Amino acid sequence: MHIAVLAKVVPDYEVPSMDFELSNNRAHERFSRMLGLYDENAIETGIQLKGKTSSSLTIISYGLESDIQFLRKGVAMGADKLVLVKGTSDDAGIIAQNLKQAIDNLEDVDLILAGQQSADMDRGVVPGILAQMLGTAFIPQVGYIDYKNGDWTVSQMTATGQRELEFQGPGVLSITSIPENVPRIPAVRAIFAAKKKPVIKLNGIEQGKMPLQEISVEIPKIESVCEFIDAQDPNEAVKSLLTRLSEERYI
Amino acid sequence: MAARIPYWNINYGVIIDLLAIPVILIFLYGLYLQWQGIKKGRLRVIPSITSMFQGIGTFHPAAFFVKGILNAKIYRRPASGIAHGCLFWGMVTLFVGTNLVILNIVFGLPVFNGAFNRWFMAFLLDLAGLLVLIGVVFFLLRRLFMPERLKMPEARKGFVLVGSLLGFVIITGFVMEGARLSAGNLETGAFVGNFFASSIIGKANALQIHTMTWWVHGLLALFFIAYIPFSPLVHIILAPVNCGFADPSPGVKMGVMDFSAFDDEDAEELPALGADKLSDFTRKRFLDFSSCLWCGRCQEVCPAHNTEKPLSPKGVIVTMAQKLNNTEMDETVIDSMSMEAIFNCTTCAACMEVCPVSINQPKTIMRFRQNLVMEQGQIPELMGKAVSSLEQRSHPFFGTPSGAAEWRKDLEVPVFEPGKTQYLLWIGCSITYEQRAWNIGRAMVNILQKANVSFGILEDSRCTGDPAKQMGNEFLFAEIAQQNIEDFSSLGIQKIITMCPHCYNSFTRHYPKLGGEYEVIPHAAFIKMLIDEGKLNLDTKKTGGRITYHDPCYLGRRNGLYEDPRKVISCVGNLVEMSRNKNESFCCGGGGGNYWAEETGTRINQERAREALDTNADTIAVACPFCLLMLTDGVKKYTEDTRAFDIAEIVDKFLKDIPET
Amino acid sequence: MKTLIIENIDPKKIGELMTVSRLFCDIPDIIALGEGQIPGLFGKAWQTDKTVAANLVSSVTAIIKQENYDVILMSVSTLGTGLAGPLSVALSAPVVTEVTFVHPDMVIERPVYGGKAIIKQKLESTPAILTIRRKYFETAKLEGTTESVLLDSIEQKVKLVAEKHEQTEGIPLEDADVIVSGGRGIGVSDNFTMLQHMADQFNGAVGASRGAVDEGWASPTKQIGQTGKIVAPSVYFAVGISGASQHLAGIANSKCVVAINKDEDANIFNRARFGIVCDYKKIVPVLTQAIMEDR
């Protein structure tokens, strides 16, 4: 079997709010680039599944050629090859078109995993678009995946609990983080081996742009002045906290 | 008075002398077997060291003599130190005496005449025997009532047998001497022999007793000598040898790793990174494992062991010694120790500092850590996050709310200009990303500006890679270090001032091996120099109150810098010492990547903070940002006041503006 | 503009979408999923008890095409997220997820970069698909009910084998007026009961940060943050939570944040209205006791 994991290289998602700045309406280039947060969960899920089902695993990304160095970490975690579709668009439609091109190129993909959302645009919509383009089912917020007798069984984390879902044939799943898919740390041997794994580069296409016009990107002003309550005596602290909360009519 | 006659009252006494030949052969064979064991270790291959002996290391005669022969370190615990001294020097004296007797027999050396006989052969040898006996009794009693450090996790076996054997040799010697004197005349000087002669043996059967004990003493002594290499007493050979081969410069000396083989297409078998089994270790480590007496002094000073954590440096060496003894070369060892224990080590080097036989415990522990991290991808979660962050964003402080330039907000800080600036002021990760540590950087900038030093910082924030190295990721360290070295040479940087001892240690110990040679000065030393040169106008009325100084492990034990920071502190306040100071200093708990540990047991920083506060000091001075952060946190358990300050912060507070001239 | 709401039968979620729909039309239509009466007054209404998004795509597409809707509204949930992407392809429609504000002329706002920035986009064609971030719009009062016709010809691409609802004792997080939330700083799983006791006294709910959920101390249904639940309580107690921007994104609409954290440098204090720098174990029991006595 062949599992594909979609991954995106994004600007550091941990940049503190105070330090965040934009250039050309995007995160400033000075921030380090790295694999997306949930993408690493998806890769980890994929690798575990690869072990269980003796599949091969391909990481697919749409982005810059300079992203390859960061995608290698994902390869080092245990993927077999990397496909990069070169392009710079942030449009969900264009990204999905390009990813579809990569998947069509691979021909034999049985399951596609993606992080629940990219750590820059935070949309979570590309996997659904891609699924529809491929004519397969899309299931968001997936935790566990199993393969039994030709059926995929997955658990979907809903707002109120969990659902167990079953389907056949290819599908696109977006992966959320669960304690079991904390990304592994690649061994040094694997890091070196990853340098020798094949990287397929495809030229991107500018098709499928969504009729959406970007107007502006702005950093919201957060105004909050924290009133610190002296904690030397817990009783006093609690008392003054409750007084302040009711004075300000919060409770 | 007539001189003693060899073989007096003994027939065929020459048999003992002849038996000595096979005994010496057995002794040598025993040592040969030890060597066979040690030889199974991997050869150390360091091309730059040309004086390598048998792949073990360079032999250092001074260390061999001072640590190995004079046993300089053993007296740190007075009781067992003195007992050991009695035993050792007593035996040395007796050995000399015995050889003199042989020389007397063979060459007729007149040792039994006059004052020499009275003072050396009679008095001193009696005294030596008595001291040995005292030592033997002390150690046998201690085997009966073992202190914690000997017992836990296990005591080395074989001491009672060999100790008792030695005791019998000495006692039979005295009885024999007593009988001889009893049959003849008492001898001036031979006070123990005389005592045995007059109070215990009497005249009656003196001749028979002499003959009998002569043989028993001789045979027992020969057996004892033959048995030495097969007993824990083999340390009389191994310990000095191990001391001689241990690099006498302070610190753990992890070296750097060469990863080029991994990139080489033709490389066949790639070496294991770190160690997870006995055969991964070098001959020097094998020598460590063989030399260890399991005395447990290391675990007694270990910050992890002292705070109920699973690590015991003794336990690690004992496990390895057992594997070596059973020649279990290729079984994985990591599984038999917990991963938690392996990551508990703060790399403070207190264990190797205290070790009487110069064992490098941290190096063994770090080899396991390297294997877990680099081969198995296993690391405790928070440390893993720190390493990932270091890899992704060039600093280990994941989740930091600070931006890279926030520490120097509203502060004019010159940037290093090639060809113009003299010193690079290296900021490092903790000062950039931990708010409490910002002020170290700000204070140091102020000090350097007031002293008119030509300095500059790098524009972007950097890390030396030390946290990765400490957490066992040599690969990441090498990558970061190489990048820094490249950038330093393009900027023409030659002189560096560090505020973090971890950075200092990296620059001085590891960067040169990767091609980066710089003149590096820790800020404590630099400030001391500025004061000496009169470049700082310091308010020296000593209004700083009582100040205690916490020695950072990476400045003190690892680099021997103890006095400069103390002198700086003494300029502004009254220095008071903690009970554990200088080379016996107790770690803050933050080393070895344990700044990012989820600590179990008592928190090390709280223990150290307690000790610091017990001095009644107003201020706890440190010279390391990690120590500052750890102790700032540790002090919070006891007081709301901020007590811990970096030495730069303290000096900055007492700086007066130099009046315009 | 003709507007269609697609939502599970849940008065709160439908209420929020109703508020949004009023920016586009007077009376929206609805496709309601689940059993029971459809709360509120709608033009047309379809209903089915099938709730797996993947199976609904084609039948919903058919209705949208047939009725020529301009705006399709869903909330951010497994349903909304599951439908948004596929529908946009099926309808060649623009899609914007996690909408937090709607301006006139089809200009909408949504957060990017973990809430560190806000992007404004204009929808240039209809139909347009929007998923609405919860707790950003008032819950409209729904009066009466609407009769529905059955939504049929539903596919069976994905089979629902089992559904487990986490026992939510008391109030759902989204509706709670007081939330006591724990993070990695809690240290051990057991201490979440301490938070539960405190929440009980406030008649509130317990939440958790991603860190605590990743540790396995709290169930994923309790996760608050950009990728968990978005909440808007009056008082949000952040206990042992460092305050990563992703977490703050989930509590942006909380009226008052009270941070209890040992680490005075924790980012949460930048968002908090009140801060207590202290070990939570010293404060939480006292606070719980104080409320208990107060009542």
Side-chain angles (χ1 to χ4, degrees):
Chain A
M1 249 186 314
H2 191 174
I3 300 165
V5 184
L6 312 178
K8 187 177 187 186
V9 175
V10 296
D12 187 354
Y13 42 84
E14 262 190 19
V15 171
S17 308
M18 309 287 275
D19 194 37
F20 188 73
E21 65 179 307
L22 296 165
S23 68
N24 298 322
N25 280 345
R26 291 294 178 269
H28 199 280
E29 312 83 62
R30 74 178 165 93
F31 302 127
S32 323
R33 290 177 69 76
M34 56 192 69
L35 268 180
L37 188 66
Y38 287 99
D39 298 354
E40 289 194 9
N41 295 118
I43 294 170
E44 176 63 36
T45 306
I47 291 161
Q48 290 175 16
L49 205 55
K50 170 187 165 171
K52 274 196 276 189
T53 59
S54 336
S55 311
S56 67
L57 188 79
T58 303
I59 294 178
I60 303 175
S61 185
Y62 170 76
L64 311 169
E65 232 174 310
S66 57
D67 289 345
I68 291 176
Q69 52 178 313
F70 308 107
L71 291 162
R72 289 231 198 254
K73 182 190 176 188
V75 179
M77 283 169 71
D80 299 299
K81 63 170 183 269
L82 175 65
V83 179
L84 176 83
V85 191
K86 290 184 277 186
T88 54
S89 177
D90 269 329
D91 183 89
I94 294 178
I95 295 173
Q97 276 292 354
N98 281 286
L99 293 171
K100 178 176 183 293
Q101 185 199 266
I103 287 162
D104 291 344
N105 201 278
L106 289 171
E107 287 178 354
D108 59 345
V109 176
D110 298 283
L111 188 70
I112 298 159
L113 309 181
Q116 147 176 351
Q117 54 184 233
S118 67
D120 52 355
M121 293 294 118
D122 297 335
R123 277 182 300 232
V125 78
V126 170
I129 295 175
L130 175 67
Q132 189 69 14
M133 285 175 175
L134 294 167
T136 69
F138 167 60
I139 306 175
Q141 299 261 51
V142 170
Y144 308 88
I145 305 174
D146 221 340
Y147 184 71
K148 264 183 248 155
N149 316 324
D151 283 339
W152 297 103
T153 318
V154 305
S155 67
Q156 182 181 47
M157 307 295 160
T158 66
T160 55
Q162 267 189 43
R163 273 173 165 184
E164 198 182 312
L165 302 170
E166 208 176 81
F167 67 96
Q168 274 191 335
V172 179
L173 311 176
S174 78
I175 305 295
T176 190
S177 71
I178 52 170
E180 288 77 7
N181 68 12
V182 172
R184 68 190 62 195
I185 293 171
V188 168
R189 237 165 259 276
I191 294 172
F192 279 99
K195 291 185 187 171
K196 294 170 192 161
K197 298 251 173 87
V199 179
I200 302 163
K201 292 178 210 166
L202 303 174
N203 288 316
I205 44 177
E206 278 288 317
Q207 256 172 39
K209 191 188 170 315
M210 239 176 226
L212 266 177
Q213 185 202 337
E214 184 172 318
I215 295 175
S216 68
V217 180
E218 276 161 16
I219 297 174
K221 286 188 180 56
I222 309 165
E223 279 174 46
S224 176
V225 185
C226 186
E227 192 176 315
F228 281 97
I229 290 165
D230 185 16
Q232 219 156 31
D233 177 358
N235 288 305
E236 280 302 309
V238 163
K239 207 186 276 174
S240 50
L241 173 67
L242 291 175
T243 315
R244 291 292 291 120
L245 283 175
S246 59
E247 273 171 11
E248 304 266 322
R249 304 198 170 280
Y250 292 119
I251 50 173
Chain B
M1 197 172 62
R4 267 170 64 185
I5 303 157
Y7 305 130
W8 171 81
N9 191 30
I10 302 295
N11 297 324
Y12 310 111
V14 76
I15 291 172
I16 291 285
D17 299 74
L18 294 176
L19 275 177
I21 296 164
V23 161
I24 289 166
L25 289 177
I26 293 170
F27 181 87
L28 292 175
Y29 178 69
L31 289 185
Y32 171 77
L33 289 184
Q34 290 283 345
W35 169 237
Q36 288 304 307
I38 290 161
K39 229 174 77 175
K40 292 195 182 111
R42 280 172 38 197
L43 296 172
R44 265 174 93 192
V45 190
I46 303 173
S48 60
I49 301 180
T50 46
S51 56
M52 183 78 74
F53 176 82
Q54 289 288 336
I56 298 175
T58 308
F59 189 74
H60 304 277
F64 172 78
F65 184 71
V66 175
K67 293 178 189 160
I69 304 296
L70 298 181
N71 299 312
K73 283 186 176 178
I74 206 163
Y75 299 98
R76 206 178 273 191
R77 296 192 63 89
S80 50
I82 290 170
H84 187 273
C86 288
L87 195 68
F88 176 71
W89 291 111
M91 284 305 284
V92 168
T93 313
L94 290 176
F95 182 70
V96 171
T98 309
N99 282 303
L100 286 176
V101 173
I102 293 170
L103 292 178
N104 172 270
I105 295 168
V106 181
F107 301 109
L109 193 73
V111 294
F112 293 129
N113 292 336
F116 186 79
N117 180 53
R118 186 155 55 247
W119 290 112
F120 187 86
M121 298 307 286
F123 175 72
L124 201 59
L125 291 192
D126 263 23
L127 180 64
L130 189 64
L131 291 179
V132 172
L133 203 56
I134 290 169
V136 166
V137 170
F138 176 90
F139 284 115
L140 285 176
L141 280 175
R142 218 181 41 155
R143 286 286 139 183
L144 279 178
F145 308 101
M146 273 194 279
E148 194 71 8
R149 66 178 169 94
L150 282 181
K151 263 194 301 203
M152 296 305 293
E154 216 173 311
R156 186 161 172 181
K157 295 193 177 62
F159 280 107
V160 176
L161 178 61
V162 79
S164 313
L165 198 56
L166 181 56
F168 277 119
V169 171
I170 301 296
I171 290 169
T172 51
F174 279 135
V175 174
M176 173 186 77
E177 188 192 17
R180 173 172 59 82
L181 296 175
S182 185
N185 296 312
L186 297 190
E187 246 177 81
T188 328
F191 64 102
V192 184
N194 291 346
F195 170 76
F196 271 80
S198 49
S199 326
I200 301 173
I201 298 164
K203 288 270 181 193
N205 300 314
L207 284 176
Q208 289 92 318
I209 292 173
H210 177 257
T211 313
M212 203 173 70
T213 47
W214 192 93
W215 283 106
V216 174
H217 175 75
L219 291 171
L220 269 182
L222 289 176
F223 181 74
F224 170 75
I225 292 167
Y227 183 56
I228 285 175
F230 305 93
S231 78
L233 278 199
V234 69
H235 79 271
I236 61 177
I237 304 292
L238 294 182
V241 170
N242 199 41
C243 291
F245 280 113
D247 184 341
S249 64
V252 185
K253 300 162 291 259
M254 289 306 296
V256 292
M257 276 191 186
D258 180 12
F259 292 93
S260 56
F262 286 85
D263 252 344
D264 185 356
E265 296 281 342
D266 306 323
E268 284 168 14
E269 206 182 319
L270 298 171
L273 297 170
D276 88 327
K277 52 186 186 297
L278 185 59
S279 60
D280 291 333
F281 285 98
T282 59
R283 289 180 173 180
K284 176 62 182 67
R285 296 284 85 72
F286 275 50
L287 193 54
D288 274 359
F289 306 149
S290 313
S291 308
C292 182
L293 279 298
W294 309 13
C295 75
R297 291 180 188 211
C298 51
Q299 78 180 21
E300 221 171 28
V301 297
C302 173
H305 186 79
N306 268 288
T307 51
E308 307 101 44
K309 294 175 183 59
L311 173 68
S312 153
K314 172 187 165 183
V316 171
I317 302 297
V318 163
T319 306
M320 298 318 291
Q322 287 168 333
K323 298 272 169 202
L324 180 56
N325 205 28
N326 304 336
T327 49
E328 292 166 20
M329 296 295 288
D330 290 312
E331 277 176 30
T332 162
V333 211
I334 290 184
D335 295 346
S336 60
M337 300 171 201
S338 72
M339 177 165 115
E340 192 189 345
I342 291 167
F343 282 94
N344 279 155
C345 176
T346 66
T347 66
C348 76
C351 50
M352 62 181 297
E353 178 72 24
V354 81
C355 181
V357 298
S358 299
I359 292 170
N360 193 334
Q361 300 90 337
K363 203 159 181 172
T364 296
I365 298 168
M366 288 304 286
R367 289 277 179 254
F368 288 133
R369 201 180 276 192
Q370 290 169 353
N371 192 271
L372 279 171
V373 172
M374 291 191 288
E375 291 285 2
Q376 309 184 32
Q378 286 195 49
I379 185 167
E381 196 183 340
L382 290 188
M383 288 193 191
K385 286 193 158 188
V387 173
S388 295
S389 178
L390 187 51
E391 187 189 338
Q392 290 174 322
R393 26 186 105 81
S394 317
H395 72 76
F397 290 88
F398 60 92
T400 175
S402 312
E406 237 171 308
W407 73 272
R408 56 184 156 106
K409 214 161 99 183
D410 312 321
L411 193 70
E412 282 285 312
V413 186
V415 170
F416 188 94
E417 289 177 75
K420 281 190 193 162
T421 315
Q422 194 183 5
Y423 290 99
L424 169 71
L425 178 64
W426 172 263
I427 306 301
C429 61
S430 50
I431 292 177
T432 310
Y433 293 103
E434 273 292 336
Q435 203 172 349
R436 174 63 192 94
W438 289 353
N439 205 37
I440 304 174
R442 298 177 73 90
M444 195 62 200
V445 166
N446 195 27
I447 291 170
L448 294 177
Q449 276 170 340
K450 289 241 169 87
N452 278 321
V453 175
S454 159
F455 77 101
I457 61 166
L458 296 177
E459 263 185 310
D460 53 349
S461 76
R462 294 279 179 124
C463 172
T464 50
D466 170 80
K469 192 178 181 82
Q470 290 187 58
M471 288 185 259
N473 196 334
E474 292 281 339
F475 174 66
L476 184 56
F477 170 78
E479 275 197 328
I480 295 172
Q482 271 150 3
Q483 185 62 52
N484 283 333
I485 290 169
E486 222 171 87
D487 296 347
F488 283 9
S489 53
S490 69
L491 284 170
I493 289 166
Q494 283 163 344
K495 295 180 176 184
I496 305 173
I497 302 168
T498 59
M499 290 173 277
C500 174
H502 296 268
C503 299
Y504 174 72
N505 193 67
S506 285
F507 285 142
T508 55
R509 296 292 180 88
H510 310 310
Y511 277 48
K513 291 179 183 152
L514 296 166
E517 303 243 14
Y518 317 101
E519 187 189 316
V520 192
I521 312 144
H523 74 322
F526 199 82
I527 292 172
K528 155 84 171 39
M529 191 185 82
L530 292 178
I531 293 174
D532 287 351
E533 289 173 357
K535 291 198 174 143
L536 290 178
N537 190 7
L538 212 54
D539 177 359
T540 51
K541 279 182 241 125
K542 296 215 173 196
T543 45
R546 289 167 69 85
I547 305 176
T548 189
Y549 173 67
H550 164 81
D551 285 279
C553 306
Y554 276 65
L555 209 53
R557 260 192 303 269
R558 279 175 169 256
N559 285 292
L561 194 93
Y562 299 113
E563 292 312 321
D564 284 2
R566 286 181 165 75
K567 283 180 185 151
V568 170
I569 289 163
S570 297
C571 289
V572 297
N574 295 315
L575 178 71
V576 285
E577 292 289 359
M578 287 183 248
S579 54
R580 291 177 282 191
N581 61 62
K582 298 188 182 167
N583 62 339
E584 291 178 14
S585 171
F586 191 70
C587 179
C588 71
N594 278 280
Y595 181 79
W596 293 277
E598 293 149 279
E599 236 185 301
T600 58
T602 308
R603 299 189 52 177
I604 297 172
N605 59 343
Q606 290 175 349
E607 164 130 359
R608 184 59 168 170
R610 174 77 272 162
E611 190 177 345
L613 293 174
D614 281 346
T615 62
N616 286 323
D618 308 299
T619 302
I620 304 164
V622 297
C624 167
F626 284 94
C627 294
L628 178 71
L629 294 167
M630 293 302 287
L631 291 179
T632 300
D633 184 57
V635 164
K636 279 185 191 156
K637 184 176 177 190
Y638 308 106
T639 166
E640 297 288 313
D641 306 342
T642 305
R643 292 287 183 87
F645 293 93
D646 187 83
I647 195 162
E649 292 181 290
I650 294 170
V651 168
D652 185 39
K653 204 158 62 182
F654 288 92
L655 272 190
K656 290 192 286 191
D657 287 320
I658 294 182
E660 301 277 331
T661 46
Chain C
M1 282 204 237
K2 256 189 115 173
T3 304
L4 174 71
I5 290 172
I6 308 172
E7 190 49 85
N8 288 307
I9 294 197
D10 174 339
K12 295 231 162 59
K13 286 187 185 168
I14 294 177
E16 285 181 13
L17 295 178
M18 187 69 106
T19 304
V20 183
S21 74
R22 286 184 184 146
L23 302 166
F24 301 107
C25 70
D26 290 335
I27 301 173
D29 293 349
I30 189 168
I31 295 177
L33 310 171
E35 283 161 9
Q37 293 270 305
I38 301 171
L41 297 175
F42 295 93
K44 288 185 180 168
W46 294 264
Q47 189 171 3
T48 172
D49 59 355
K50 306 279 190 297
T51 54
V52 177
N55 297 335
L56 296 167
V57 177
S58 58
S59 44
V60 168
T61 305
I63 286 180
I64 295 169
K65 281 185 173 160
Q66 171 196 316
E67 299 286 330
N68 257 322
Y69 288 111
D70 297 308
V71 179
I72 292 104
L73 298 175
M74 298 174 282
S75 54
V76 177
S77 64
T78 44
L79 175 75
T81 308
L83 281 174
L87 284 183
S88 98
V89 176
L91 300 163
S92 306
V95 56
V96 179
T97 56
E98 310 251 0
V99 173
T100 54
F101 198 85
V102 178
H103 294 276
D105 299 327
M106 300 294 269
V107 173
I108 45 187
E109 276 186 13
R110 65 180 305 273
V112 288
Y113 299 113
K116 289 191 281 267
I118 303 288
I119 188 169
K120 244 188 233 177
Q121 288 165 305
K122 185 177 166 62
L123 293 161
E124 288 180 312
S125 77
T126 57
I129 301 156
L130 306 178
T131 67
I132 308 298
R133 184 174 272 204
R134 293 216 54 202
K135 293 286 159 185
Y136 275 77
F137 296 89
E138 290 290 314
T139 312
K141 236 186 165 163
L142 301 173
E143 283 171 18
T145 55
T146 305
E147 286 301 315
S148 62
V149 296
L150 184 72
L151 180 73
D152 51 13
S153 47
I154 288 167
E155 290 178 291
Q156 252 294 17
K157 280 185 177 170
V158 175
K159 192 171 131 199
L160 179 61
V161 181
E163 175 140 24
K164 259 193 306 195
H165 291 283
E166 217 50 57
Q167 280 300 322
T168 41
E169 286 156 30
I171 304 143
L173 276 168
E174 291 93 332
D175 305 333
D177 215 31
V178 173
I179 291 175
V180 183
S181 208
R184 216 183 271 280
I186 294 293
V188 285
S189 167
D190 291 348
N191 285 353
F192 263 85
T193 48
M194 198 193 281
L195 305 187
Q196 185 68 56
H197 287 314
M198 176 170 154
D200 289 346
Q201 295 311 316
F202 277 109
N203 245 332
V206 168
S209 73
R210 185 178 192 260
V213 172
D214 280 354
E215 290 285 352
W217 300 339
S219 93
T221 56
K222 298 224 187 306
Q223 185 176 327
I224 292 173
Q226 176 185 303
T227 53
K229 300 225 155 85
I230 309 286
V231 295
S234 293
V235 185
Y236 183 84
F237 289 95
V239 185
I241 288 177
S242 61
S245 63
Q246 286 79 3
H247 184 77
L248 298 186
I251 61 170
N253 289 338
S254 304
K255 289 185 191 68
C256 171
V257 174
V258 179
I260 304 173
N261 202 310
K262 256 198 308 201
D263 178 10
E264 61 187 301
D265 302 328
N267 194 40
I268 189 75
F269 290 118
N270 293 325
R271 170 65 183 81
R273 175 75 186 81
F274 298 107
I276 302 182
V277 181
C278 185
D279 185 351
Y280 76 95
K281 281 176 243 145
K282 289 186 192 147
I283 293 290
V284 170
V286 182
L287 191 51
T288 311
Q289 190 66 28
I291 306 292
M292 207 190 304
E293 283 163 11
D294 205 33
R295 292 194 331 170

